[in-house]
Amino acid sequence: MMEAFEILTTASLWAAVLRIATPLIFGVLGALICERAGVLNLGIEGIMTMGAMVGWLTVYWGGDLWTGLAMAVLAGMVMGWVHAMLTVPLGLSQHVSGLGITLLASALSYYLYRLWVEVGDLPPTIEPFLPWAVPFLSDIPFVGEVLFTQTPPTYVALMLVGVVAWMLARTPMGLALRMTGENPHAVEAQGLNPVRIRIWAVMVGSGIMALGGAFLTTAAFNSFFPGMVQGRGWICIALVVFASWRPGKALIGALLFALFDAFQLRLQTVVEGVPYQLFLMAPYVLSIVALILVARRARVPEALMQPYRRGER
Amino acid sequence: MNAGAVLELEGITKRFGALVANDDVTLSLQKGEVLALLGENGAGKTTLMNILFGHYAADAGEVRVEGKPLPSGKPRAAIAAGVGMVHQHFTLAGNLTVLENIVIGSESLWKLGMDREGAERKIRALSVQFGLPVDPAARIGDLSVGERQRVEILKALYRDARILILDEPTAVLARPEAEQLFTILRGMAQGGLSIIFISHKLHEVMGASDRVVVLRGGKVVAERATGQTNAAELAELMVGRAVARPKRAAHEVGAPVVVAEGLSVSSGGGMALDRVRFEVRAGEILGIVGVSGNGQAMLGRVLSGLARPDAGTITFDGRDISRITPREAVGLGIGRVPEDRHAEGVVGDLAVWENAVLERLRDFARWGFVRRRAAEAHAAGLIARFDIRGAGPATRTRLLSGGNMQKLILGRNLAAGPRFLLANQPTRGLDEGAIAAVHQELLMARAEGAAILLISEDLDEAVGLSDRLQAISKGRLSEPIAAEAVDARRLGLMMAGVWETRDAV
């Protein structure tokens, strides 16, 4: 028991928490932007896979790491555009379209990877992002090691939380986006175009999701392989609910899940006689419990999943 | 063409498929004027205003604001030209604040911040200037319907509207609130705003407008200065023929059918019904009048088997029905016309024939299968007998107008010849022609010996139909009085909870 407690006080655990949380932060922010505008985006799992593949491939073909991230965003936005076209102007079922996008984007990623990359016994690798110690700040004991010795995309993810929170709460655009998710008829009556707002929200949100995938192949690992997103997209969909559609709480949710995950990995090594599968399960079980505790009070955007048609109520 | 007109509509035509919603409509609005646009449901009033505001593009015709043509199909252009619209179904977001609902769309989407203080100052100033008190920080979902409407009006004023369009502004308001609204609108008109309000209620039009334009079948059929017309003329112009609500004929009343004693239901810490006592006799209509929210809804729920009383009894032919289920109620021959026909009366996405037989499905089923042909024939019978227009058995029920939907609900109850009928707000939101039809059906059921409990907020209706009246106030019921003994003042006092037992019958 003491050992378990000691794990919690090590800086390496907390640094790992931030690393594990990074793709989740991107994913949950992207999903949150889509849902705040009233569109559920179950394409997330596939869009993250797409981002992972495109980001990696760009670097593999000689591109800069940052160019890789930019290309991942672009690819995510293209997939988001498809989802937006199906669900917003055409008003099709957001569930069906989203799952379709996930299947399409994942399969397309694997296909293009096989087509363009020669895979030997081991998947080819790239030079990934390396941890970058922030001058001075990284010298602070404990905090420096946890917060300021991460790879650059992690810093981007943390800053993005603030940017999205500010955008939603404090800018006219954020208000228009939230209103579109609550009552698109009200948006139209005030002279704005809810269809356009939804399309852009889904595209931008999808671009951010793709960054989460690209983090996996350009920072966490150095290669791409099928199945590497491992349901992180679905976790993000649940985290949005856990967060009551708020960016700040989304960050907390992502960190919490990452903590469970990092903790169980380390517990496996110190606790004996317990099947490791139980530890693997733990983050998911705890997430469900947390969701039950928190989500009952969540305030769902009123027009979430309701297609908007002009002049119809 | 029209000197001093702030708004002109010329030759507006709009078709939806084969339906001509607006046919060459021309009208104008003067500065500082209150214009009433009067017409029955489906006359094309809302379509016309949606064209004016830019929700729809007209097929032909032109809208001019202060002489300048308005591009069609662009709400943004209408707002910029100073046109504000208060929609019948509010366009508000319940989870956002008053301030957020008002300012959205007023600032460039690319600004990095919002001027909340400035917006709040402007909202407060407008509130004071026009007598529309609201708290800018309140969440819309926590506001009453009347307050939400104020927010809707403030939204238009915040965008500097000089022309205000209100679509059926009193549809959701109780009478005192409605009167207050018209006082405010008057004040606005005196302050130089020009106002169009849409209505099918004659007393409002007579009381609040300077001029009336009557729309029927998508065409302007008449235009009158309000001072030079009267309600009877307007009613005839609106419906296209003389309509009079049917009169109740005197006849013999039978034995008590439904008797309630000491009925109490608590709800939310208070008493929704407090020791209620009434009896409804065969062949009579007992009217329950009162301001909405005084327990009518609970009374309706208890009598339809949707809520259980905490104390007291209800008997139906001597049998206790205070704990019955809706299915047992149907089986006993208790007919129910629910308060909210869309939510509880019909299933909008099902066909008319399905709605016609849903509550007695067993009669139209064999070995677990629906006898569709018999059910459709039954529905066709109802359509013919109760004059349900615009519908066949296969029509999706949502497509019916409110009046025809209500006739369907009434018809499926009356076809079975019920001993007892609960009619809860049976004509709410209906136009004059449909009201007359519903009244006719209720009176015929009465003549055939049904005991009818009529719950209504419309005093003219309650007094016109009922043999006896009881007032409901804070869950308590007054003693019944005969309709003949009623005068407006006494009824008003009764609805306020002041009653004596002097000439109880």
Side-chain angles (χ1 to χ4, degrees), chain A residues 151-233:
Chain A
T151 56
T154 300
Y155 301 131
V156 173
L158 292 174
M159 283 187 287
L160 203 55
V161 175
V163 171
V164 172
W166 175 273
M167 196 276 293
L168 284 175
R170 298 297 176 87
T171 67
M173 189 184 285
L175 174 58
L177 188 136
R178 284 184 288 138
M179 186 74 86
T180 307
E182 297 284 344
N183 185 351
H185 298 278
V187 175
E188 210 223 337
Q190 293 295 87
L192 301 174
N193 185 343
V195 171
R196 209 150 67 194
I197 292 171
R198 278 191 169 175
I199 291 173
W200 275 108
V202 173
M203 286 176 64
V204 170
S206 302
I208 295 175
M209 291 170 185
L211 270 181
F215 172 85
L216 294 175
T217 48
T218 61
F221 306 99
N222 56 4
S223 58
F224 175 81
F225 49 89
M228 74 182 306
V229 175
Q230 271 190 327
R232 285 184 178 84

Side-chain angles (χ1 to χ4, degrees), chain A residues 166 169-173 175-176 178-179 182-183 185-192 299-300 302 310-311 313, chain B residues 53-55 73 76 79 89 91-93 95 100-102 104 108-114 116 139 155 159:
Chain A
W166 175 273
R170 298 297 176 87
T171 67
M173 189 184 285
L175 174 58
R178 284 184 288 138
M179 186 74 86
E182 297 284 344
N183 185 351
H185 298 278
V187 175
E188 210 223 337
Q190 293 295 87
L192 301 174
R299 200 164 265 164
V300 189
E302 275 175 23
R310 235 182 150 191
R313 324 207 102 248
Chain B
F53 190 63
H55 283 313
R76 188 174 202 105
I79 292 170
H89 306 280
T91 52
L92 299 170
N95 280 336
E100 288 174 326
N101 271 278
I102 291 176
I104 178 184
S108 158
L109 289 186
W110 301 101
K111 279 173 64 179
L112 292 180
M114 270 192 315
R116 277 180 191 264
R139 208 177 70 94
K155 253 164 77 175
R159 305 293 287 272

Side-chain angles (χ1 to χ4, degrees), chain B residues 395-406:
Chain B
T395 310
R396 217 156 56 106
T397 308
R398 189 182 295 291
L399 302 175
L400 298 189
S401 72
N404 285 309
M405 207 182 272
Q406 196 70 316

